[in-house]
Amino acid sequence: MPDPKAKDELEQYEGTFRFRDGDYYDRHLVFDHVVPMDEANQRQRFEAVARSLRDLLTQRWLLTKETHHRLNAKQVYYLSMEYLIGRTLLNTVTNLGVRDYVRDDLRSDARQNWAEILDAEPDAGLGNGGLGRLAACFLDSMATLEIPAIGYGLRYEYGVFRQEIHVGNQVEQPDNWLLHPDPWEVSRTTESVEVSLNCSFEFHGGALHRIPGQPIHLLGIPYDRPVAGYGGRTINTLRLWGAASPDFFDFGEFSGGEFVDAVLYKVMAESLTRVLYPDDSTTRGRTLRFLQEYFLVACSLADILRRFRDRGNAWSALPEKVAIQLNDTHPAMAVAELMRILLDEARLGWDEAWDLTVRTLAYTNHTLLPEALEKWPVEMFQTFLPRLLEIIYEINYRFLGDVHARYPGDNWLLSRVSLIEELPSRQVRMANLAIVGTHSTNGVSEIHSRLLRESTVVDLADLFPSRFNNKTNGVTPRRWLLLANPDLAALLTEALGDAWPMDLDRLEGLAPLADDAAFRERFRAARLAAKRRFVDWIGREHGIELDSDALIDSQVKRIHEYKRQLLNILRVLAIYHRLRTDSSFDPEPRTYVFAGKAAPAYHLAKTIIRLINDVAAAVERDPLTRGRIRVVFLPNYGVTLAERLIPATDISEQISTAGYEASGTSNMKFMMNGALTIGTRDGATIEMGRRVGEENMFFFGLTAEQVASSRASYSPLWHYDREPETRAAIDLLSSDLISPGDPARYESIRHVLLEHGDYYMHLADLGSYLETQERLGKLWTDDPEGWTRKSINNVAASGYFSSDRTIKAYASEIWGVEPCPIR
Ligand SMILES: *Cc1c(COP(=O)(O)O)cnc(C)c1O
């Protein structure tokens, strides 16, 4: 007989937590965290909102999967070592169109604050720069276009490092982004896959030792994240692999001490996906990176082929049902791994296996920089993946046989196209493997695709001309315009209707409005609102008081010599010098914004960061310059910072040495948001100029052809000796104004520029850069209406740079896939 009083109390207690149907948020907040609602913090609120949104999309997510399976639809698999996705909450709300629903859901929580909830989500920084961000934009576009697609990557527990600036220097801090449980991910331990390596490790004397020939097995655990397309019809999946070690030990065999060793060994295995390598466009031949690449390939292919077979397909149907895109050479081992599975597990003959492999795989090249071309020591394959090495040798033997038959006697050609480099040491050339073993090799802008064919891999392009093609990059207008710039987005919707986020060519409808003074006024007001939002944020977050009327001039991207942040800061030094020495010089107020991470081992890039910060400090110290210009280095550049800064920017700096930036994508984000571009004729910036008309762009400097042809005779000292501003800027580097008491601080930079030949030709372009900047300054001051006209024209012409356009071209020209509408 229950105690009636207790029952009474229980009902009263339940009454305090009675939820209406659909009160997902309250339920998650209180029950997941076991806290009273008014004691929850913003992080817990974020998790609750995210989980309630996940509930909302779960059935749609299941339906997407079920439909793809039932229709046995051709499926795209995007393999990438990086996904720079940033935050997911606002993007999901935007794409599902559920702002009102969320607002409603949150109403019962008196202490909620939407801005703080959004800020409680860390950036998923599983990438370094453009390549990882491209993968994220592609996922958004594939889901929006209803293309059946799964992105495969690694679940790094530590993403790209968090950058702090200590007395002007970059300091790297670990980014423990999974510290709190991530509300988006679903771990699917039942779909784990096993990966084998032919080499084990043991730990003794505090060091790791290889035990070759002793096979080990690792587990890949899938962690799925939903990718909601705009409109919420298709919910695709980003599947990230985490490494684990199976409990295959017979623990009975171990006596006490060995038990602990066995567990330590497990921990080591699980370290495989612990951290993302922080190098952008360079490779360092580290064993762990090699194993990470194989782990991604092995887990993903096992999963892809299991799904393919589960749908009842015969092996011969592989290219009709599966399209695998390799994002750079990082997953290029897929060529050999797919062959291994088809030969050893499916038991196909070589010719059939090879035909299926080539027709299933496709490769995207991302850079022409020689230091970025991946090569792995043959010895590393021999140790860990001897079967893959055998297969690579066999591919190479047959391939070189074909080449020899076509060009008998040309041994020099054979050595150039071989998958194996012999000297100075034996290495596998991953780009050659990717080109030979796939049916498509694409570059990421017209100029990049051309240079790739004509110079970087000219011999392979001659052997396989039909495989080479171009797919100019794009960015998703949902994140980069609709979400990031609500004021401008609202104006666009008012002017053009609400279809533009899915059909960005509609922005062309703005072009006639550039001549409408009333519209220009409203356009300026929308841009100013975005600027004020940024200025408020930077004041709150960094205590920096900026003037929202000043021109904002931004260069934000990874710090690299070829991207030439150094050219930009030399220009600032020249302006600084002019302000100090020419009392009649009265430039427009300008804020020079820099942001970007340097690879931790890239010393010169880190010195450039220090220099930018020293120039910023010098300008503030100096009564002759203080308040007239501002220089700001914003720490920890990432997706969220880009979303804040790009809509507020007036001038976009795209100033790489021509021929070195494969495409660039921040150039496109800036254009969409109405910035004017100053740039070299490089990457996709060239195509931007063609679309908008060069009168709306500010090109300067040498072309790629001029860079190549003038290299041999180029003399930076010639410029230093003859150009007073160049000399003044460089001399400031060692002055007490910039490096007080430490004149040698920038000796390495001076050396690179003057004594070491200035490989990236900063001094060749500095003169025309300064002139072009001056033209921009004049336009800003003297003709604001003309400026706004150009700004509107840029937005109007940016439709082509939607990643939807890029993905449609991949889908029809490389993958042969069609949209698969979900009911
Ligand atoms: C777009 C983007 C990049 C790429 O910038 P580029 O200027 O094309 O090199 C890098 N990082 C982040 C966070 C981005 O959003």
Side-chain angles (χ1 to χ4, degrees):
M1 183 78 184
D3 175 358
K5 185 161 153 283
K7 184 169 171 286
D8 219 40
E9 274 177 11
L10 194 65
E11 271 176 8
Q12 204 183 343
Y13 182 76
E14 277 180 344
T16 52
F17 293 103
R18 186 161 297 140
F19 296 106
R20 286 170 287 129
D21 256 2
D23 268 350
Y24 296 117
Y25 169 74
D26 304 27
R27 207 180 287 258
H28 282 300
L29 186 58
V30 173
F31 285 79
D32 293 359
H33 298 108
V34 197
V35 289
M37 189 178 268
D38 55 5
E39 285 177 26
N41 63 28
Q42 299 300 355
R43 167 71 205 191
Q44 292 168 325
R45 290 189 161 82
F46 154 69
E47 284 179 30
V49 183
R51 284 192 188 285
S52 79
L53 266 173
R54 208 184 80 186
D55 293 346
L56 198 66
L57 59 73
T58 291
Q59 276 159 317
R60 202 74 210 166
W61 196 6
L62 291 172
L63 185 64
T64 301
K65 248 192 266 195
E66 187 273 321
T67 308
H68 295 162
H69 183 83
R70 181 167 39 82
L71 301 177
N72 192 13
K74 181 165 187 179
Q75 190 99 34
V76 175
Y77 296 104
Y78 198 78
L79 267 59
S80 179
M81 287 288 281
E82 303 193 6
Y83 288 90
L84 195 50
I85 44 194
R87 291 175 174 166
T88 298
L89 178 53
L90 187 55
N91 192 239
T92 304
V93 171
T94 305
N95 279 12
L96 296 180
V98 291
R99 260 191 207 239
D100 291 344
Y101 166 86
V102 172
R103 216 165 273 151
D104 213 44
D105 209 16
L106 283 167
R107 225 181 16 214
S108 57
D109 181 357
R111 302 195 176 191
Q112 60 90 8
N113 174 316
W114 184 233
E116 287 177 15
I117 289 174
L118 293 175
D119 276 339
E121 179 173 17
D123 267 39
L126 310 184
N128 280 291
L131 172 144
R133 185 53 234 173
L134 185 77
C137 283
F138 280 6
L139 292 181
D140 183 86
S141 282
M142 290 188 288
T144 297
L145 295 168
E146 302 197 85
I147 290 172
I150 294 181
Y152 281 108
L154 295 182
R155 182 180 180 267
Y156 305 107
E157 281 162 51
Y158 294 85
V160 66
F161 63 86
R162 187 163 47 79
Q163 179 194 56
E164 291 181 359
I165 301 296
H166 294 182
V167 280
N169 288 302
Q170 168 174 300
V171 174
E172 300 92 22
Q173 300 289 355
D175 162 42
N176 193 0
W177 73 293
L178 289 171
L179 180 64
H180 302 285
D182 186 285
W184 303 111
E185 71 176 13
V186 186
S187 71
R188 300 202 184 271
T189 44
T190 57
E191 294 182 44
S192 300
V193 299
E194 205 175 282
V195 173
S196 304
L197 302 171
N198 194 50
C199 178
S200 184
F201 294 96
E202 70 183 358
F203 207 66
H204 58 80
L208 209 53
H209 300 272
R210 294 177 183 182
I211 321 174
Q214 178 179 311
I216 63 163
H217 305 280
L218 294 171
L219 274 186
I221 314 243
Y223 292 82
D224 289 354
R225 308 172 73 85
V227 181
Y230 186 65
R233 287 181 306 275
T234 285
I235 315 284
N236 279 334
T237 299
L238 170 57
R239 174 162 280 198
L240 301 177
W241 298 103
S245 148
D247 293 321
F248 62 85
F249 304 102
D250 178 356
F251 278 91
E253 279 183 14
F254 294 104
S255 58
E258 285 158 330
F259 167 77
V260 171
D261 287 344
V263 173
L264 279 181
Y265 173 84
K266 270 179 79 70
V267 173
M268 258 161 41
E270 284 157 12
S271 295
L272 187 63
T273 51
R274 206 74 84 185
V275 61
L276 165 73
Y277 276 92
D279 308 278
D280 185 65
S281 308
T282 43
T283 65
R284 285 187 295 153
R286 307 298 290 268
T287 306
L288 180 62
R289 170 72 179 195
F290 175 82
L291 295 177
Q292 285 183 335
E293 292 184 356
Y294 180 64
F295 187 71
L296 168 66
V297 162
C299 292
S300 307
L301 283 179
D303 201 40
I304 290 166
L305 295 176
R306 178 175 58 193
R307 189 175 299 108
F308 169 75
R309 295 292 276 175
D310 278 354
R311 293 179 185 178
N313 296 300
W315 288 110
S316 59
L318 191 64
E320 278 75 61
K321 295 297 173 189
V322 171
I324 299 174
Q325 191 69 35
L326 309 177
N327 197 23
D328 212 326
T329 55
H330 314 149
M333 289 179 216
V335 173
E337 175 71 2
L338 182 53
M339 282 299 286
R340 185 190 67 75
I341 298 169
L342 296 177
L343 293 168
D344 300 355
E345 295 177 16
R347 298 265 167 225
L348 304 183
W350 182 277
D351 290 336
E352 190 186 3
W354 182 245
D355 174 66
L356 296 177
T357 295
V358 171
R359 285 163 58 212
T360 301
L361 299 175
Y363 156 60
T364 303
N365 174 283
H366 281 274
T367 169
L368 306 173
L369 298 178
E371 66 266 35
L373 287 183
E374 277 194 305
K375 291 169 192 169
W376 288 113
V378 163
E379 180 265 334
M380 232 183 246
F381 275 98
Q382 186 69 62
T383 304
F384 293 100
L385 304 166
R387 179 62 180 138
L388 285 206
L389 184 62
E390 266 177 22
I391 291 171
I392 290 169
Y393 280 156
E394 182 66 20
I395 294 171
N396 201 35
Y397 176 78
R398 290 168 182 248
F399 164 59
L400 293 181
D402 290 348
V403 177
H404 176 73
R406 272 176 69 181
Y407 301 94
D410 194 344
N411 289 338
W412 175 223
L413 174 66
L414 293 184
S415 76
R416 289 196 309 267
V417 299
S418 173
L419 307 191
I420 308 295
E421 186 164 279
E422 299 291 339
L423 292 170
S425 62
R426 303 197 75 220
Q427 306 198 84
V428 180
R429 295 165 168 159
M430 301 309 284
N432 294 31
L433 177 63
I435 293 166
V436 172
T438 67
H439 66 93
S440 164
T441 293
N442 76 281
V444 290
S445 72
E446 288 173 14
I447 184 178
H448 165 67
S449 295
R450 183 170 63 75
L451 294 174
L452 181 66
R453 267 188 280 109
E454 292 177 357
S455 57
T456 315
V457 292
V458 61
D459 302 306
L460 288 165
D462 286 345
L463 290 168
F464 303 109
S466 66
R467 291 186 183 181
F468 281 74
N469 66 96
N470 174 58
K471 299 287 168 279
T472 298
N473 283 167
V475 300
T476 169
R478 273 74 65 181
R479 183 179 289 268
W480 295 112
L481 187 47
L482 183 58
L483 175 161
N485 199 344
D487 299 282
L488 185 57
L491 180 64
L492 296 178
T493 298
E494 220 185 294
L496 306 168
D498 61 7
W500 63 266
M502 284 198 69
D503 181 8
L504 206 62
D505 288 332
R506 294 196 186 217
L507 294 183
E508 284 165 15
L510 286 181
L513 295 172
D515 294 322
D516 174 341
F519 183 80
R520 284 202 302 272
E521 189 54 46
R522 302 185 59 204
F523 184 89
R524 251 197 313 274
R527 292 217 8 105
L528 189 60
K531 239 166 133 168
R532 293 218 166 104
R533 200 195 318 277
F534 173 72
V535 166
D536 285 349
W537 172 81
I538 205 174
R540 273 198 318 275
E541 187 68 23
H542 294 287
I544 299 172
E545 298 288 323
L546 290 184
D547 171 8
S548 38
D549 293 329
L551 194 165
I552 295 184
D553 171 321
S554 304
Q555 187 177 20
V556 290
K557 48 187 77 233
R558 284 301 287 247
I559 311 291
H560 202 292
E561 285 163 275
Y562 86 80
K563 290 178 181 282
R564 295 202 297 192
Q565 282 88 0
L566 202 44
L567 176 62
N568 190 344
I569 201 70
L570 286 173
R571 171 275 296 236
V572 177
L573 281 167
I575 303 279
Y576 173 72
H577 174 74
R578 246 189 260 174
L579 283 170
R580 290 181 44 80
T581 53
D582 176 358
S583 58
S584 70
F585 180 55
D586 186 24
E588 74 292 341
R590 213 190 265 217
T591 304
Y592 300 87
V593 179
F594 293 81
K597 294 174 185 177
Y602 191 170
H603 299 291
L604 194 75
K606 292 172 101 170
T607 304
I608 293 170
I609 292 177
R610 176 91 203 260
L611 173 59
I612 295 167
N613 282 300
D614 269 345
V615 174
V619 166
E620 297 297 305
R621 260 196 315 267
D622 196 327
L624 292 170
T625 54
R626 185 187 313 135
R628 301 182 70 191
I629 58 172
R630 300 290 301 272
V631 180
V632 178
F633 187 95
L634 291 172
N636 202 34
Y637 185 55
V639 171
T640 297
L641 177 52
E643 287 166 12
R644 296 186 202 281
L645 173 65
I646 289 172
T649 293
D650 299 295
I651 295 183
S652 158
E653 300 278 344
Q654 305 299 335
I655 59 176
S656 52
T657 312
Y660 287 85
E661 185 71 90
S663 162
T665 47
S666 76
N667 46 1
M668 305 169 186
K669 302 167 195 166
F670 281 111
M671 182 193 202
M672 259 174 216
N673 282 279
L676 302 191
T677 301
I678 181 164
T680 46
R681 293 171 195 278
D682 203 12
T685 308
I686 298 176
E687 291 161 68
M688 284 165 41
R690 204 171 65 221
R691 304 242 151 217
V692 71
E694 298 214 348
E695 68 284 6
N696 292 298
M697 293 276 285
F698 293 82
F699 282 118
F700 72 96
L702 301 179
T703 62
E705 283 65 34
Q706 290 166 336
V707 166
S709 65
S710 63
R711 211 175 250 310
S713 60
Y714 171 57
S715 157
L717 277 168
W718 188 94
H719 294 275
Y720 180 79
D721 290 339
R722 279 170 191 72
E723 296 168 1
E725 296 212 285
T726 300
R727 180 201 292 264
I730 291 182
D731 287 351
L732 273 170
L733 294 177
S734 50
S735 73
D736 267 351
L737 290 165
I738 301 301
S739 47
D742 186 8
R745 189 178 296 164
Y746 298 113
E747 190 46 37
S748 58
I749 290 181
R750 196 189 156 83
H751 191 269
V752 157
L753 292 176
L754 296 182
E755 269 110 76
H756 206 256
D758 184 17
Y759 184 80
Y760 290 104
M761 302 182 111
H762 298 83
L763 302 196
D765 283 348
L766 183 55
S768 66
Y769 183 48
L770 284 166
E771 274 170 35
T772 310
Q773 288 287 7
E774 206 167 320
R775 272 206 291 133
L776 268 157
K778 283 216 165 63
L779 181 68
W780 175 265
T781 309
D782 301 345
D783 185 10
E785 294 292 339
W787 181 287
T788 304
R789 213 175 269 124
K790 288 192 198 316
S791 173
I792 295 172
N793 285 335
N794 268 273
V795 179
S798 70
Y800 180 78
F801 301 100
S802 165
S803 45
D804 296 349
R805 182 268 311 153
T806 315
I807 286 298
K808 283 179 191 163
Y810 274 88
S812 71
E813 295 162 26
I814 300 178
W815 302 332
V817 294
E818 304 261 307
C820 176
I822 307 302
R823 263 221 272 292

